[in-house]
Amino acid sequence: MLRPLKKLKLESFNNLTKTLSFNIYDICYAPSEKAQKEYIAYIDEAYNAERLTGILTEVAQIIGANILNIAHQDYDPQGASVTMLISELPLSEEPLNPEAPGPLPEAQARQAAARAIHPEAVVAHLDKSHITVHTYPEMHPDNGISTFRADIDVSTCGKISPLRALNYLIHVFESDIVIIDYRVRGFTRDVRGTKHYIDHKINSIQNFVDKPTLNRYQAIDVNVYQENIFHTKLMLKEFKLDNYLFGVREGDLPASDTKVVTQRLKHEMSEIYTGTNVVRIS
């Protein structure tokens, strides 16, 4: 049974800032200039400002936040950004923030439908909380590799934790590589004046991802517990070449090209996952 930390009776407002930085990468092989441009156009359409706004709206609902303001922009030639100012919803009881996965997209959709049937009035304001997303499509003109990166930051000030949205984000982006950072900053005081530098249990970011999803990824943790800094990297274990090709199918490639393209893709993924340029030996 999951046990939350003992409830803290605070002296005043909860001043802890909890920040989740979620970076996803999509990698593909587009052999021609035409295919590369089509890939960038596809990504630009699939992750335009309107769709990203919808994703961040779901994130706000999952973590229990009220949206105060939205700014969004599509860019020319490509890319998009969305910024939301948010506030904590009025809480009927102390959030438990257990070290457990949050809802998946299907469960979140059901909850949204229920809210539409039984809406609640919200009056609240909380400074210094926001959600942002920026996208970065790019391509290599010579070796056919194209990538897409989306950076999402969820920063909350108060009792709610952005980690509850992590499970949803991993599923909704269906990413090849996921880089996750979580940090709790500042402190809050209890009624005795004692400082508390974190108000919920966390041993690993991996504990906030459901097991079936986590089993699909190779995962590495780099944590600095005494500083409340947590870092996790995920890379898909399963590799099916057709899932990484754009503008061509595996069956259309000569056997020699299949081997070279596979090596290029795996090399690219390894470099992004490790954050290191790896010398390729051919």
Side-chain angles (χ1 to χ4, degrees), residues 14-137:
N14 188 331
N15 287 314
L16 289 171
T17 299
K18 303 159 190 172
T19 301
L20 173 70
S21 295
F22 174 88
N23 312 111
I24 68 103
Y25 293 86
D26 180 84
I27 297 100
C28 90
Y29 176 77
S32 66
E33 181 180 353
K34 180 176 180 291
Q36 290 176 6
K37 290 180 178 179
E38 287 176 350
Y39 171 75
I40 296 297
Y42 158 75
I43 287 293
D44 226 29
E45 177 61 28
Y47 297 103
N48 59 35
E50 182 179 357
R51 181 175 183 232
L52 292 172
T53 298
I55 291 173
L56 297 197
T57 299
E58 291 297 322
V59 169
Q61 292 173 345
I62 289 170
I63 66 176
N66 181 38
I67 298 171
L68 302 175
N69 178 267
I70 302 174
H72 57 82
Q73 181 65 53
D74 289 302
Y75 298 111
D76 186 7
Q78 67 258 342
S81 294
V82 180
T83 299
M84 287 183 175
L85 295 181
I86 60 173
S87 65
E88 188 175 51
L89 292 175
L91 302 174
S92 58
E93 59 182 26
E94 192 81 11
L96 300 180
N97 292 328
E99 192 176 25
L104 297 175
E106 298 80 8
Q108 180 60 19
R110 290 194 297 270
Q111 293 172 12
R115 283 193 299 270
I117 297 172
H118 304 287
E120 298 179 357
V122 175
V123 180
H125 182 75
L126 178 63
D127 291 335
K128 305 179 185 70
S129 294
H130 65 269
I131 311 174
T132 64
V133 60
H134 305 284
T135 66
Y136 304 89

Side-chain angles (χ1 to χ4, degrees), residues 99 184 197-198 202-205 207 221-231:
E99 192 176 25
V184 181
Y197 298 93
I198 194 167
I202 175 171
N203 180 60
S204 170
I205 292 173
N207 294 335
D221 275 1
V222 181
N223 301 323
V224 185
Y225 294 104
Q226 65 271 27
E227 298 294 335
N228 293 322
I229 298 174
F230 305 88
H231 179 74

Side-chain angles (χ1 to χ4, degrees), residues 135-249:
T135 66
Y136 304 89
E138 67 91 38
M139 59 186 176
H140 191 297
D142 298 325
N143 67 5
I145 297 294
S146 295
T147 69
F148 165 70
R149 183 178 105 240
D151 294 350
I152 297 178
D153 290 296
V154 186
S155 184
T156 64
C157 186
K159 300 174 183 178
I160 58 178
S161 171
L163 284 166
R164 181 166 170 75
L166 182 59
N167 216 24
Y168 169 81
L169 286 169
I170 291 175
H171 277 260
V172 79
F173 279 102
E174 299 179 335
S175 314
D176 299 318
I177 297 172
V178 186
I179 311 294
I180 311 161
D181 291 286
Y182 179 70
R183 183 172 186 182
V184 181
R185 294 182 173 88
F187 63 85
T188 191
R189 293 183 189 271
D190 64 22
V191 291
R192 297 180 180 179
T194 303
K195 299 183 188 72
H196 293 268
Y197 298 93
I198 194 167
D199 64 352
H200 65 90
K201 179 183 176 183
I202 175 171
N203 180 60
S204 170
I205 292 173
Q206 294 185 45
N207 294 335
F208 293 86
V209 183
D210 68 295
K211 292 299 181 183
T213 300
L214 197 59
N215 289 338
R216 295 172 54 217
Y217 288 90
Q218 177 182 336
I220 296 176
D221 275 1
V222 181
N223 301 323
V224 185
Y225 294 104
Q226 65 271 27
E227 298 294 335
N228 293 322
I229 298 174
F230 305 88
H231 179 74
T232 296
K233 297 192 288 189
L234 307 173
M235 182 170 67
L236 276 178
K237 295 176 183 176
E238 185 180 44
F239 184 92
K240 291 183 178 179
L241 184 56
D242 265 333
N243 293 339
Y244 294 88
L245 299 179
F246 198 91
V248 66
R249 303 295 298 174

